[in-house]
Amino acid sequence: MAEGRIIKAISGFYYVKSGNGVFQCRGRGVFRKQNITPLVGDFVEFDEQNPGEGYILSIKSRRNMLIRPAVANIDQAIIVSSIAEPDFNPLLLDRFLVMIESKEMTPIILMTKKDLKTETDLESIHHYKTVYEQIGYSVKLISAVQPGDLDDLMHELADQVSVIAGQSGVGKSSLLNALNSSLQLKTGDISASLGRGKHTTRHVELVEVGGGLVADTPGFSTLDFKEMAADELADCFPEIRNRQTDCKFRGCYHNKEPECAVKQAVEDGEIAEIRYDHYLRFLDEINSRKPRY
């Protein structure tokens, strides 16, 4: 019996990378009976049959998982957020950050297409960059067409399993191609009428980039909060999470409650007002959804 990680899944076959190479494996029939689906990124035990082939016997417990792309045990998510075509959208960025924080992944914010903006236009972008860096996030302002801009990002990929996230048309496939030219992923043109990129996804695979593994299919196709409870939202905003123990009332939602340390921090300029506004907006969204029975 050997151990390894699934790096690709396609047509019922799971390609497991171990210290002895990559093995094409089938899953045990018991997985189907128990409605268990092995995922790319899973750590598994497998039994080697013929050379290069085997059967997956068991799946080790997952640290986290995504549905789209179907991948498990992710260390970090690189949020690609363009500053032009489409324009920078801090509300959407915060949606991505909340989803990533809820999955206990480390976010890296990549602001792209800086070559499409003038220095004057970039002033507001630098302001946002400072806001997110003060929270503690890694923020990089890059252009995929400028040599050397991706070097710093490559260092962050080492020894990590990463997934690329971001809205359609921001350049996720272009980024993956720039990181690993052998991928040659199809990039979607921006639809002028819709302002959205065309779908260019395919089966998911973990590919080696910069000494780490990166999912070659972008993540987070939906960004609703259906699975999140209202009292979980604050934990997904680090600057709120770090202050909420100072609130007078336990279980404070940092909304209308008196003597709230978070609201005081907003007034004192220690928490960016735009981030707090987005928190309240998401809180209202969670509280307004219809209960499921």
Side-chain angles (χ1 to χ4, degrees), residues 89-133:
N89 186 335
L91 178 66
L92 188 60
L93 173 56
D94 282 342
R95 279 187 174 273
F96 277 109
L97 286 168
V98 167
M99 298 303 294
I100 289 164
E101 291 276 2
S102 73
K103 299 288 185 181
E104 298 183 3
M105 291 184 274
T106 300
I108 296 173
I109 300 169
L110 210 61
M111 295 178 170
T112 63
K113 305 185 184 181
K114 73 175 183 183
D115 52 300
L116 300 182
K117 290 285 189 181
T118 66
E119 281 303 314
T120 303
D121 293 332
L122 286 175
E123 287 181 11
S124 67
I125 298 301
H126 283 296
H127 165 71
Y128 282 116
K129 184 173 184 288
T130 300
V131 166
Y132 287 103
E133 285 177 334

Side-chain angles (χ1 to χ4, degrees), residues 161-235:
V161 176
S162 308
V163 65
I164 309 291
Q167 74 180 114
S168 295
V170 295
K172 298 185 296 292
S173 295
S174 297
L175 171 65
L176 281 162
N177 287 336
L179 291 171
N180 186 342
S181 58
S182 67
L183 290 177
Q184 297 183 329
L185 298 182
K186 181 182 176 184
T187 56
D189 297 324
I190 294 291
S191 165
S193 60
L194 297 176
R196 295 182 303 207
K198 299 173 184 176
H199 291 291
T200 56
T201 55
R202 59 197 193 105
H203 73 271
V204 63
E205 180 177 353
L206 291 178
V207 293
E208 295 188 11
V209 181
L213 295 171
V214 178
D216 71 344
T217 302
F220 294 101
S221 59
T222 58
L223 286 172
D224 55 51
F225 303 126
K226 289 179 182 175
E227 305 301 321
M228 186 175 294
D231 60 0
E232 295 173 332
L233 179 63
D235 286 334

Side-chain angles (χ1 to χ4, degrees), residues 30-287:
V30 70
F31 291 150
R32 286 191 297 275
K33 292 177 184 175
Q34 297 175 351
N35 202 24
I36 296 172
T37 303
L39 295 179
V40 169
D42 272 337
F43 291 104
V44 299
E45 292 181 328
F46 68 99
D47 184 22
E48 184 179 351
Q49 303 285 318
N50 302 319
E53 297 181 351
Y55 270 90
I56 295 174
L57 302 175
S58 67
I59 302 169
K60 298 193 173 181
S61 120
R62 294 167 180 153
R63 203 179 95 203
N64 54 34
M65 62 175 285
L66 298 178
I67 303 302
R68 294 183 183 176
V71 60
N73 301 312
I74 310 129
D75 297 312
Q76 60 188 16
I78 301 162
I79 310 171
V80 184
S81 186
S82 69
I83 62 175
E85 297 180 15
D87 287 338
F88 179 65
N89 186 335
L91 178 66
L92 188 60
L93 173 56
D94 282 342
R95 279 187 174 273
F96 277 109
L97 286 168
V98 167
M99 298 303 294
I100 289 164
E101 291 276 2
S102 73
K103 299 288 185 181
E104 298 183 3
M105 291 184 274
T106 300
I108 296 173
I109 300 169
L110 210 61
M111 295 178 170
T112 63
K113 305 185 184 181
K114 73 175 183 183
D115 52 300
L116 300 182
K117 290 285 189 181
T118 66
E119 281 303 314
T120 303
D121 293 332
L122 286 175
E123 287 181 11
S124 67
I125 298 301
H126 283 296
H127 165 71
Y128 282 116
K129 184 173 184 288
T130 300
V131 166
Y132 287 103
E133 285 177 334
Q134 286 176 343
I135 294 167
Y137 290 129
S138 171
V139 187
K140 303 180 189 305
L141 181 59
I142 69 155
S143 166
V145 300
Q146 294 183 0
D149 262 10
L150 293 178
D151 292 349
D152 190 29
L153 177 62
M154 289 289 277
H155 292 303
E156 301 229 31
L157 300 177
D159 302 319
Q160 302 290 305
V161 176
S162 308
V163 65
I164 309 291
Q167 74 180 114
S168 295
V170 295
K172 298 185 296 292
S173 295
S174 297
L175 171 65
L176 281 162
N177 287 336
L179 291 171
N180 186 342
S181 58
S182 67
L183 290 177
Q184 297 183 329
L185 298 182
K186 181 182 176 184
T187 56
D189 297 324
I190 294 291
S191 165
S193 60
L194 297 176
R196 295 182 303 207
K198 299 173 184 176
H199 291 291
T200 56
T201 55
R202 59 197 193 105
H203 73 271
V204 63
E205 180 177 353
L206 291 178
V207 293
E208 295 188 11
V209 181
L213 295 171
V214 178
D216 71 344
T217 302
F220 294 101
S221 59
T222 58
L223 286 172
D224 55 51
F225 303 126
K226 289 179 182 175
E227 305 301 321
M228 186 175 294
D231 60 0
E232 295 173 332
L233 179 63
D235 286 334
C236 298
F237 283 76
E239 67 272 48
I240 295 177
R241 181 174 68 227
N242 294 337
R243 288 176 172 86
Q244 60 185 356
T245 54
D246 295 328
C247 294
K248 180 175 182 180
F249 297 101
R250 184 179 294 181
C252 181
Y253 284 99
H254 323 300
N255 185 7
K256 299 175 182 177
E257 298 89 345
E259 299 187 52
C260 169
V262 170
K263 288 193 292 184
Q264 187 62 50
V266 176
E267 284 185 28
D268 295 342
E270 296 171 3
I271 291 179
E273 200 165 318
I274 189 170
R275 286 275 292 175
Y276 179 63
D277 288 345
H278 291 168
Y279 165 79
L280 292 180
R281 186 164 173 171
F282 298 156
L283 184 65
D284 183 61
E285 185 178 324
I286 292 170
N287 287 330

